[in-house]
Amino acid sequence: YNESYGSKAVFAVMCPHTTYWQEKIISIVQNLTHNFNTDGVYIDQIAAAGPRPCFDPSHDHPLGGGHHWVKGYSNMLDRIQQIAPKKMILTESNAEPFMSGVDIFLTLVGYLSGDLPGTKDSDQVMVPAFQSIYGGYITTMGAEFYQTDFENPDVFAAKTAAQFVF
């Protein structure tokens, strides 16, 4: 399937179960961690993009659905941990199935506010549920900042402090 954001560039999301795609990502991680001696690699979308149906019979998974999405990424992450031990793997968003293969989750969505009944000053309250449940098992980071957040130093300080608390 395709994705497009504000830039209007169209991106094709690959089926993570394919050997070709896994080998491509693994080779990039190996190149960056070994040849450029990086301490880690950011791999976009692993925990952010939900599974999509895939009907390609050459991908060696049940047609149209099943375990292919999680199993494909899990296999790839296991191999990355073998070729790049002690290197940090960071991905976008957060998802429980990938906790063993991802070191840091960029949990932008996990820092958003939600509607909670009974709040007095605002109908929007930040609830770090994922961080609270899995905080002893994973590391999360990040928050969405907007230009207006930098106009008032107190707002910037509050958002930064919330990241440390969460």
Side-chain angles (χ1 to χ4, degrees), residues 3 13 24 28 30 41 54 95 98 125 133 146 156 159-160:
E3 291 184 348
V13 178
K24 177 60 78 178
I28 291 168
Q30 186 170 26
V41 177
C54 178
F98 308 117
V125 176
I133 294 167
Y146 303 96
F156 177 76
K159 285 186 95 168
T160 303

Side-chain angles (χ1 to χ4, degrees), residues 17-86:
H17 199 274
T18 65
T19 302
Y20 172 82
W21 190 245
Q22 290 179 20
E23 293 296 329
K24 177 60 78 178
I25 299 300
I26 290 165
S27 70
I28 291 168
V29 170
Q30 186 170 26
N31 185 32
L32 290 170
T33 58
H34 290 89
N35 297 337
F36 293 94
N37 200 29
T38 63
D39 291 326
V41 177
Y42 174 83
I43 305 173
D44 199 29
Q45 289 204 337
I46 292 175
R52 297 290 192 240
C54 178
F55 296 95
D56 190 327
S58 71
H59 290 184
D60 194 30
H61 60 68
L63 296 181
H67 66 287
H68 71 287
W69 205 266
V70 170
K71 187 175 180 185
Y73 275 135
S74 295
N75 289 343
M76 182 186 76
L77 290 167
D78 287 347
R79 294 203 35 225
I80 287 171
Q81 293 296 335
Q82 292 171 10
I83 61 138
K86 300 182 182 178

Side-chain angles (χ1 to χ4, degrees), residues 110-114 116 124-128 159 162 166:
Y111 288 104
L112 294 179
S113 299
L116 293 178
Q124 296 281 312
V125 176
M126 195 177 301
V127 180
K159 285 186 95 168
F166 294 164

Side-chain angles (χ1 to χ4, degrees), residues 87-144:
K87 300 292 184 170
M88 180 229 27
I89 300 300
L90 167 67
T91 193
E92 177 185 10
S93 204
N94 50 286
E96 183 179 10
F98 308 117
M99 289 185 350
S100 66
V102 172
D103 300 297
I104 301 176
F105 290 94
L106 176 60
T107 54
L108 300 178
V109 174
Y111 288 104
L112 294 179
S113 299
D115 290 323
L116 293 178
T119 56
K120 295 180 181 184
D121 296 332
S122 170
D123 59 353
Q124 296 281 312
V125 176
M126 195 177 301
V127 180
F130 192 86
Q131 295 89 328
S132 297
I133 294 167
Y134 296 113
Y137 303 98
I138 61 161
T139 301
T140 61
M141 60 160 280
E144 288 187 328

